[in-house]
Amino acid sequence: MDRGPHKLARLGLLLLIWPGIGFALGTLTLLGPVRWITSVFRAQGVPEVGEKIAVLTLIALLVLVSFGVSHILMRRALAAARWWRGAVIPLATTGAAALTLWAWLTPGLINRGAEAEMLSGTRFTFGPYPTADDLRRLKDEGFTDVISLLHPAVAPFEPRLLEREIEAARAIGINVVHAPMLPWLSDNEESLERLRAIIAEGTGKYYVHCYLGRDRVGVVKRLVRQLSPDAGSLMAGDDGPAEHPLLRKASFERGAVLRLDDRVYLTPYPTDEEFLAYVFQEATGTVVSMLDPEDPSDLGWIEKEREALAAFAVPFVSAPVPTDPFEPERVLELVARVRSMGGNVIVHAFLDRSPSYQAFAQAYRSGRAPM
C-alpha cells in the first residue's frame, strides 16, 4: 500500500509554491538581467532578433529554474517531521509573492533609473508614475496638472497607485486629471475627448504618465503632435521623423517585420498589443492597409483598424492589393504612393506569407512590377 502523499496533494502543494516563486524570480529577472540585456543590446545596435533570442532564453531558464526550485521545496515540505515545519515553506513563498507585489506597488523602485522626457520650454512632459517627491518637484517647476493614464482594470496595481497619487497631489497642491487609457481593451472615448480638449484649449503645464512611461504616453504624444494648433511650441525636438519603435522589431505574432528603408516598414496585421506598442505611437506617420474591402474576410479587420486609428489621430490609407486577379502594376503604383508619403509609414498585409506582402516587398526593393 502506498503510504506516501497522494498525488493530488503533491500537485496542490506544488501549485501553491510555484506561483510565488515564479512571481518573485520573474520580477527579479525583469528588473535585473532583462533590463540590463536590452539596455546593452540597444546601445550596441544589436539587431532586435538577437535581443529577442536572449530574452526568450532567460524566460525559458526562469521557467525551468522556478519549477525546479518549487519542486525541491515541495518535497522538503512533505518530508518535514512536523507539519508546522512543512508549512513554513509555502508560507515563505507566499510571503515572497507578497513582497514582490509590494515592489510593484512602489513605482519608485520599479522605475528606478527611468527619466521623464523633460522638454525645456514646452507644455507637455512625459514619463513614468510620479512619486510624492516627484510631485513636489513638478509643483516647484511650475507644472499645474498631472495627467494620469492609469486604468482601474489593471488590478491590483493601478487602482491603488491612482488613489495614492490623488491623495499626495491634493496635499502638495497640484491637480490630477484622470484620463484612464487602455487601447483596444476598453472604451477610451471619454478620456480621448478630455485629452483633445486639453491639447487644444489648455493653458497649463502638464506632466503625462502611465506606469512605466512608455506605450500609453506614446499615444498621448501622438495626439499632441497631431491635434495641437501649435505643436512646434508645445513639444521640442522635431528635427525630422522620430525613431520608430519598429526599428529594432524583427517580427510580429503574424509574421516578419521588414524595414524597407529608413522610414518604411512592411508588417503583417498587428495584434491589439502590437497596435498599442508600435502603431499608435507618435513616430507613426501613416498606416497603409493592403487588405481588400471587397473580401468579406478582410472587411471586419479593415473597419476595426480604421476606427481605432481614427481615435488616435493616425492617418489611415486603404490600398487593397487583390490577388484574383493579381495586378502587378497596381503594386508598383502603391510603392510610388508610399514613397511620396511623409514621415514613417507602416504598410501591412494580414500575414507575412500573404501574396500582397511578398509582392510589395519585391516591388519596393527592385523598383519593378512583382512577378
Side-chain angles (χ1 to χ4, degrees):
M1 179 178 177
D2 183 8
R3 298 179 62 185
H6 193 279
K7 289 183 179 180
L8 288 178
R10 294 168 62 90
L11 178 61
L13 186 57
L14 180 63
L15 294 179
L16 178 64
I17 294 173
W18 193 10
I21 293 293
F23 187 32
L25 289 181
T27 297
L28 291 174
T29 302
L30 174 64
L31 300 181
V34 171
R35 182 173 288 184
W36 180 80
I37 285 175
T38 54
S39 297
V40 170
F41 278 28
R42 292 174 187 180
Q44 297 299 320
V46 176
E48 194 270 346
V49 66
E51 177 183 319
K52 183 176 182 179
I53 290 173
V55 172
L56 289 177
T57 301
L58 281 175
I59 293 173
L61 288 173
L62 169 65
V63 173
L64 291 174
V65 170
S66 64
F67 178 80
V69 171
S70 300
H71 193 266
I72 291 171
L73 292 176
M74 178 268 293
R75 294 183 64 181
R76 290 188 176 181
L78 291 173
R82 298 181 181 274
W83 70 266
W84 56 267
R85 290 182 179 178
V88 167
I89 291 176
L91 288 175
T93 57
T94 301
L99 184 62
T100 306
L101 177 61
W102 168 83
W104 281 106
L105 289 169
T106 311
L109 179 63
I110 298 295
N111 289 325
R112 181 174 294 175
E115 296 182 358
E117 186 179 352
M118 295 293 185
L119 304 174
S120 178
T122 67
R123 283 175 42 210
F124 291 87
T125 297
F126 304 88
Y129 181 91
T131 63
D133 289 340
D134 293 331
L135 291 173
R136 292 188 189 94
R137 177 175 50 80
L138 291 170
K139 174 71 173 179
D140 292 342
E141 292 177 0
F143 283 82
T144 58
D145 299 83
V146 174
I147 300 177
S148 175
L149 307 179
L150 299 183
H151 199 285
V154 187
F157 314 117
E158 297 198 358
R160 178 58 184 144
L161 290 174
L162 179 63
E163 291 177 8
R164 290 182 186 174
E165 180 180 15
I166 292 173
E167 292 171 3
R170 185 181 296 117
I172 293 166
I174 188 170
N175 184 51
V176 174
V177 177
H178 187 212
M181 187 170 293
L182 209 57
W184 293 99
L185 302 180
S186 69
D187 181 4
N188 302 282
E189 190 55 37
E190 183 177 346
S191 295
L192 289 171
E193 286 301 320
R194 185 173 302 159
L195 290 167
R196 292 186 187 111
I198 291 172
I199 292 168
E201 304 168 8
T203 57
K205 188 175 181 182
Y206 306 94
Y207 179 79
V208 185
H209 76 87
C210 50
Y211 186 96
L212 296 174
R214 297 177 186 172
D215 296 341
R216 284 175 283 180
V217 297
V219 172
V220 181
K221 285 183 189 179
R222 160 156 214 99
L223 291 175
V224 171
R225 293 186 189 277
Q226 291 287 332
L227 304 180
S228 171
D230 55 347
S233 66
L234 291 171
M235 296 182 65
D238 286 333
D239 298 326
E243 180 179 292
H244 201 281
L246 281 175
L247 186 62
R248 297 182 179 88
K249 187 68 175 172
S251 64
F252 279 172
E253 184 174 314
R254 295 186 174 102
V257 172
L258 299 182
R259 187 185 183 202
L260 298 178
D261 60 27
D262 61 353
R263 62 183 191 83
V264 177
Y265 300 86
L266 178 62
T267 77
Y269 192 96
T271 63
D272 293 355
E273 293 78 11
E274 290 161 352
F275 265 106
L276 173 59
Y278 301 102
V279 180
F280 294 151
Q281 300 300 305
E282 56 161 339
T284 300
T286 306
V287 175
V288 178
S289 170
M290 294 189 289
L291 274 62
D292 186 0
E294 298 298 322
D295 184 340
S297 63
D298 283 353
L299 184 58
W301 295 104
I302 294 171
E303 292 306 316
K304 175 183 178 181
E305 180 178 21
R306 188 194 304 275
E307 182 178 349
L309 293 178
F312 293 100
V314 181
F316 174 72
V317 174
S318 177
V321 177
T323 57
D324 187 18
F326 179 64
E327 303 175 34
E329 293 300 327
R330 188 166 181 173
V331 180
L332 199 58
E333 291 171 3
L334 177 57
V335 166
R337 186 178 178 186
V338 168
R339 289 186 185 278
S340 70
M341 294 176 178
N344 295 310
V345 182
I346 298 174
V347 183
H348 75 77
F350 192 76
L351 301 172
D352 63 355
R353 61 178 180 269
S354 299
S356 56
Y357 181 104
Q358 301 292 334
F360 187 87
Q362 185 183 101
Y364 201 94
R365 287 167 167 169
S366 68
R368 300 177 179 179
M371 300 292 291

